[in-house]
Every structure is written in C-alpha cells, then in structure tokens.
Amino acid sequence: MHVFFNGKITEIENAVLSPFDRGFLFGDGVYEVIRYYPKKFFLLEDHLARLRNSLKELEIPAPDLSSIEQILNELIRVNNLTDKLSIAYLQISRGYQFPRRHAFIEEASPTFFIYVENFPAKIDEMKNGVKVGLDEDIRWTRCDIKSTSLIPNILSNKKAVRNNLAEIIWHRNGIITEGTHSNIFFVKDNTIITPPLNNFILAGITRKAILAICKQTGMESCERPVNIDEMKTFDEIFITSTLGEITPVMEINGSIANTGKPGAVTIKLQNEFQKLYADFVAP
Ligand code: PDD
C-alpha cells in the first residue's frame, strides 16, 4: 500500500512516526474522510475548508494544500483504485515534541498522513435502513472541530456494535446533537428538520449538501433544536455521513421510526443526492 506521509508518496513501511508525536501522545490532531466516486473526489473543497478551519481552531499550522487533489488522485492511481468506490483518510497532527508537555511549542512541524482505501457503498443499509440507539452525549463542547480525540465516539460506537445497532444518536440534556459519526435529520409533514450548527455538532459535508438540495428543489427545510420527546412524532428519520450518505433510520431506541419502511422524502433526497456525483461516476 502506498500512502502520503510528510510531503511524499511512499510505501506504508516508510511512514514511520516517533512515539513523541503529539498525535500519539495527546490525540492532538485533526482529520477528514473524503469519498472518491470514480473518477473524482466528492465535495473536496468543502472538506478542505473544514480541515483548514479545524487546524485554525487548534492553532496547528496548515500544511500546503494547494496540490492536494493531485496527491489524492495519484494515491488512488498507485493503489489501483481508479475504478473503485473508495475513501481518503487525511490526518494532520501537531507533530513531534520532546519532552512530553501539555503546552504545545509553536515551532512544531505537523505530521501529515493520507491513505486511501476501497470502501464499497453500504447498499443494504441505505436501501433498507438501520436501527440506532440513543445515549447521553459525553463529549467536550467543541464538537465542531474534527479532532482525532475521539474517545467518546469510539466508546459509544462500540456500544452500538455490541447491540447490533448501526449508530448511537446523542443528546445533551434531552436535546439531540448528532451520531458518533453522522448527523441526523427528521421529517415532519414533508419538512426536513435538522439540529442547527453550533459547537455541539460537526458541520457535516453531507448535511450541507442535503440542505442545498432542499433549497434547489424547493423541499421545505428547517434547522432547529430537537427534543428527544419529539422522536415519536416524526414521519421519517435518517442519518447522514460521507460513508453512509443518506441512511434511513427504522428503529430508534427500540421504537419504530418511519412506518417500518424508508419514507418517501428520504428516498427522494437519496435520489437527488446520488445525482450530485452521477456525472463523474464512470459508465
Ligand atoms: N465522520 N458527525 C460526526 C461526529 C462525524 O464524525 C461525522 C463524519 C459526521 C458527518 O460528517 P460528513 O457528512 O462530513 O461525513 C457528523 C467521519 C466520516 C468519520 O469519522 O469517519
């Protein structure tokens, strides 16, 4: 496997990191996950804008991203993924610092790592829907930063897997935030509802694309806080992410969501969303 590591595309064996890298010691870094629909990276500019913002918020110096699209395409090519639905994982940590100190030094040189992976669509989940759980959001109050410090996310996600659930949806004092790796939407009387952007949720790129589709197609949408007590009143629920696109939720905490089948609004949005990348998917 070839990866990008600190300015070069190289065999994974050559990507060697000091244990004094702050990414390893503190989870002091940021990341992005970007979809490659053959033959193009999807919504790349949006992902790069979010990456730049995460770096800025954590005061990590941004590496040169001017030729990132070429690097990503080259990684796809050298790993023989040109015709395969894939993903790129990009991570920038604050870099090496010795000795270990909480306070970061200004002159640290960030570690930049990218790998690509064949990642087929979760067709069954997208078509037939998933079950999700509900849990208290125990994260910090800067969830808008896509940080690699993901302990609450991985613990809640493991809970989901152990309970045969696709995702855990979090709430803070009864107000829905998001999933461990997805945003959430609700449909009531044909209006598409999602929690508003703030420091308690990640500004999902898929979420943004869906709200843009709503505007373009005249579907009614609304960003507002959602209480867990409202859950049973919704006509449809779906979760969104780079990897899962738009995934219908069939059951939430043991209660049936939707009518037991993916709803009409969810299906319409899925079709509209697929049109966004249909142009560049190879015939
Ligand atoms: N996760 N909320 C959280 C907490 C996330 O981690 C993600 C994405 C999303 C959805 O964002 P987007 O639509 O930009 O993928 C929302 C990535 C895919 C991950 O951690 O693997």
Side-chain angles (χ1 to χ4, degrees):
M1 176 170 60
H2 283 79
V3 302
F4 175 85
F5 187 67
N6 288 342
K8 284 202 274 296
I9 290 182
T10 181
E11 287 279 354
I12 182 70
E13 289 75 22
N14 301 325
V16 179
L17 193 64
S18 165
F20 284 100
D21 192 282
R22 294 183 61 95
F24 178 67
L25 290 178
F26 291 103
D28 186 356
V30 301
Y31 76 105
E32 280 295 326
V33 180
I34 311 176
R35 252 295 179 207
Y36 170 82
Y37 293 97
K39 312 245 177 335
K40 203 173 163 195
F41 279 91
F42 186 52
L43 303 172
L44 181 60
E45 279 314 315
D46 286 327
H47 283 281
L48 294 180
R50 187 171 65 186
L51 182 64
R52 284 193 189 92
N53 188 57
S54 297
L55 289 165
K56 181 169 95 22
E57 292 297 325
L58 295 187
E59 296 181 47
I60 296 175
D64 178 14
L65 295 172
S66 57
S67 48
I68 198 73
E69 190 163 11
Q70 282 136 272
I71 293 166
L72 291 171
N73 285 327
E74 184 60 9
L75 274 177
I76 288 288
R77 194 186 66 77
V78 296
N79 286 292
N80 298 318
L81 294 172
T82 306
D83 297 320
K84 298 214 165 73
L85 190 55
S86 301
I87 53 164
Y89 174 85
L90 292 76
Q91 171 169 334
I92 301 165
S93 79
R94 199 183 303 274
Y96 173 90
Q97 180 176 341
F98 177 85
R100 176 186 179 275
R101 294 288 181 271
H102 283 67
F104 55 85
I105 51 168
E106 312 285 337
E107 60 274 19
S109 160
T111 304
F112 194 175
F113 169 64
I114 310 174
Y115 90 95
V116 290
E117 179 192 346
N118 174 217
F119 199 104
K122 298 179 179 180
I123 292 171
D124 181 54
E125 295 193 352
M126 282 157 60
K127 190 160 178 275
N128 300 315
V130 295
K131 296 177 182 179
V132 303
L134 206 55
D135 218 341
E136 187 80 40
D137 194 338
I138 55 160
R139 296 175 299 166
W140 68 333
T141 52
R142 288 307 307 273
C143 304
D144 52 319
I145 301 170
K146 202 158 170 60
S147 155
T148 54
S149 303
L150 290 170
I151 293 294
N153 307 59
I154 61 175
L155 290 179
S156 281
N157 197 259
K158 188 66 191 172
K159 209 171 186 178
V161 171
R162 285 199 174 119
N163 289 293
N164 281 321
L165 301 169
E167 179 63 300
I168 295 285
I169 303 303
W170 278 319
H171 63 92
R172 263 183 212 267
N173 304 318
I175 303 294
I176 296 287
T177 53
E178 61 181 337
T180 69
H181 59 301
S182 58
N183 292 113
I184 187 157
F185 284 75
F186 309 91
V187 181
K188 180 72 191 159
D189 299 331
N190 289 320
T191 297
I192 293 146
I193 302 158
T194 195
L197 290 186
N198 54 34
N199 55 315
F200 295 121
I201 71 166
L202 184 76
I205 306 301
T206 320
R207 175 190 182 282
K208 183 179 171 191
I210 289 164
L211 291 175
I213 289 171
C214 291
K215 279 218 169 68
Q216 279 154 20
T217 59
M219 294 166 92
E220 203 69 46
S221 70
C222 160
E223 294 171 74
R224 67 154 173 92
V226 171
N227 197 289
I228 45 172
D229 299 336
E230 286 181 76
M231 218 52 64
K232 289 201 175 97
T233 68
F234 293 119
D235 303 325
E236 302 175 31
I237 303 178
F238 59 90
I239 52 176
T240 68
S241 70
T242 294
L243 304 183
E245 298 185 13
I246 297 171
T247 301
V249 172
M250 294 293 100
E251 200 180 297
I252 189 157
N253 242 21
S255 297
I256 300 290
N258 295 325
T259 50
K261 278 198 303 197
V265 176
T266 308
I267 292 170
K268 182 169 179 202
L269 275 172
Q270 284 179 323
N271 292 336
E272 291 296 329
F273 188 81
Q274 281 165 13
K275 284 187 199 163
L276 298 179
Y277 56 79
D279 286 354
F280 51 83
V281 172

